[in-house]
Protein backbone atom coordinates (compact mmCIF):
# COMPACT_ATOMS: atom_id res chain seq x y z
CA UNK A 1 0.00 0.00 0.00
CA UNK A 2 1.01 3.62 0.54
CA UNK A 3 3.28 2.79 3.46
CA UNK A 4 6.26 1.68 1.36
CA UNK A 5 6.22 4.83 -0.73
CA UNK A 6 5.78 6.93 2.40
CA UNK A 7 8.87 5.23 3.82
CA UNK A 8 10.97 6.65 0.98
CA UNK A 9 12.49 9.90 2.22
CA UNK A 10 11.25 12.89 0.24
CA UNK A 11 14.60 14.65 0.56
CA UNK A 12 18.17 13.40 0.76
CA UNK A 13 20.66 16.21 0.31
CA UNK A 14 24.05 17.10 1.73
CA UNK A 15 23.89 19.15 4.95
CA UNK A 16 26.19 21.88 3.63
CA UNK A 17 27.62 23.36 0.44
CA UNK A 18 26.64 23.72 -3.21
CA UNK A 19 25.93 20.59 -5.20
CA UNK A 20 23.96 19.07 -8.04
CA UNK A 21 20.45 17.80 -7.45
CA UNK A 22 17.73 15.98 -9.36
CA UNK A 23 13.96 15.81 -9.04
CA UNK A 24 12.77 12.22 -9.43
CA UNK A 25 9.25 10.89 -9.92
CA UNK A 26 8.52 7.51 -8.38
CA UNK A 27 5.66 5.53 -9.80
CA UNK A 28 4.13 2.14 -9.32
CA UNK A 29 4.35 0.21 -12.59
CA UNK A 30 1.00 0.53 -14.35
CA UNK A 31 0.32 3.95 -12.90
CA UNK A 32 -1.51 4.70 -9.70
CA UNK A 33 0.49 6.01 -6.81
CA UNK A 34 3.28 8.48 -7.54
CA UNK A 35 5.57 10.74 -5.60
CA UNK A 36 8.34 13.26 -6.34
CA UNK A 37 11.58 13.16 -4.40
CA UNK A 38 14.70 15.35 -4.24
CA UNK A 39 18.22 13.94 -4.22
CA UNK A 40 21.47 15.91 -4.20
CA UNK A 41 25.08 15.41 -3.20
CA UNK A 42 28.56 16.85 -3.64
CA UNK A 43 29.75 13.32 -4.35
CA UNK A 44 28.06 13.46 -7.76
CA UNK A 45 30.18 15.02 -10.46
CA UNK A 46 27.30 14.75 -12.94
CA UNK A 47 23.52 14.65 -12.48
CA UNK A 48 23.27 11.13 -13.90
CA UNK A 49 25.51 9.85 -11.09
CA UNK A 50 22.72 10.71 -8.65
CA UNK A 51 20.09 9.02 -10.80
CA UNK A 52 22.26 5.91 -11.23
CA UNK A 53 22.35 5.55 -7.45
CA UNK A 54 18.67 6.28 -6.78
CA UNK A 55 17.20 4.21 -9.60
CA UNK A 56 18.31 0.72 -8.46
CA UNK A 57 17.36 1.51 -4.85
CA UNK A 58 13.84 2.43 -5.92
CA UNK A 59 13.50 -0.46 -8.37
CA UNK A 60 14.20 -2.80 -5.45
CA UNK A 61 11.20 -1.25 -3.68
CA UNK A 62 9.08 -1.79 -6.79
CA UNK A 63 9.03 1.73 -8.24
CA UNK A 64 9.78 3.03 -11.67
CA UNK A 65 11.89 6.20 -11.60
CA UNK A 66 11.85 9.07 -14.00
CA UNK A 67 14.16 12.05 -13.71
CA UNK A 68 12.14 15.25 -14.09
CA UNK A 69 15.22 17.44 -14.41
CA UNK A 70 17.96 18.84 -12.27
CA UNK A 71 19.81 21.85 -11.05
CA UNK A 72 21.89 22.89 -8.11
CA UNK A 73 21.24 23.38 -4.43
CA UNK A 74 23.14 25.75 -2.18
CA UNK A 75 22.61 24.60 1.41
CA UNK A 76 23.66 26.91 4.23
CA UNK A 77 22.74 25.10 7.44
CA UNK A 78 24.23 27.80 9.67
CA UNK A 79 21.92 30.52 8.31
CA UNK A 80 19.15 27.99 7.60
CA UNK A 81 18.93 28.93 3.95
CA UNK A 82 18.58 26.85 0.80
CA UNK A 83 18.82 28.23 -2.72
CA UNK A 84 17.74 26.17 -5.72
CA UNK A 85 19.04 27.23 -9.14
CA UNK A 86 20.71 26.15 -12.37
CA UNK A 87 19.94 23.18 -14.58
CA UNK A 88 21.15 19.78 -15.71
CA UNK A 89 22.74 19.51 -19.15
CA UNK A 90 21.54 15.91 -19.47
CA UNK A 91 18.08 16.05 -17.88
CA UNK A 92 17.13 19.68 -18.41
CA UNK A 93 15.92 22.06 -15.71
CA UNK A 94 13.78 20.68 -12.93
CA UNK A 95 10.74 22.68 -11.90
CA UNK A 96 12.52 24.38 -9.01
CA UNK A 97 9.23 25.60 -7.55
CA UNK A 98 8.19 21.95 -7.06
CA UNK A 99 11.58 21.20 -5.49
CA UNK A 100 11.15 24.13 -3.09
CA UNK A 101 7.73 22.87 -1.97
CA UNK A 102 9.23 19.44 -1.22
CA UNK A 103 12.19 21.01 0.64
CA UNK A 104 9.87 23.23 2.71
CA UNK A 105 8.13 20.17 4.16
CA UNK A 106 11.47 18.80 5.33
CA UNK A 107 13.23 22.04 6.31
CA UNK A 108 10.31 23.81 7.96
CA UNK A 109 12.33 26.56 9.66
CA UNK A 110 14.44 27.43 6.61
CA UNK A 111 14.28 30.28 4.14
CA UNK A 112 14.10 28.49 0.78
CA UNK A 113 14.29 30.30 -2.55
CA UNK A 114 14.80 29.43 -6.20
CA UNK A 115 15.77 31.15 -9.42
CA UNK A 116 16.72 30.32 -12.99
CA UNK A 117 20.20 31.77 -12.45
CA UNK A 118 23.03 29.61 -13.70
CA UNK A 119 25.24 30.30 -10.68
Amino acid sequence: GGSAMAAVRAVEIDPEGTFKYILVRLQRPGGGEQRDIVRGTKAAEFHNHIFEKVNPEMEKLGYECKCLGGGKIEHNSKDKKIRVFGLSAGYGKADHSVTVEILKKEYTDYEITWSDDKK
Side-chain angles (χ1 to χ4, degrees), residues 20-24 46-53 55 65-71 87-95:
K20 292 183 167 65
Y21 94 89
I22 57 173
L23 186 60
V24 178
F46 299 104
H47 287 90
N48 62 305
H49 292 171
I50 308 172
F51 189 73
E52 282 160 17
K53 185 176 174 292
N55 197 35
C65 285
K66 183 177 151 200
C67 184
L68 301 178
L87 53 82
S88 160
Y91 295 121
K93 185 176 79 70
D95 185 339

Side-chain angles (χ1 to χ4, degrees), residues 75-82 107-112:
H75 189 172
N76 181 335
S77 53
K78 186 169 66 71
D79 294 343
K80 296 197 169 178
K81 284 185 180 170
I82 293 176
Y107 294 93
T108 50
D109 55 345
Y110 268 61
E111 182 191 320
I112 305 175

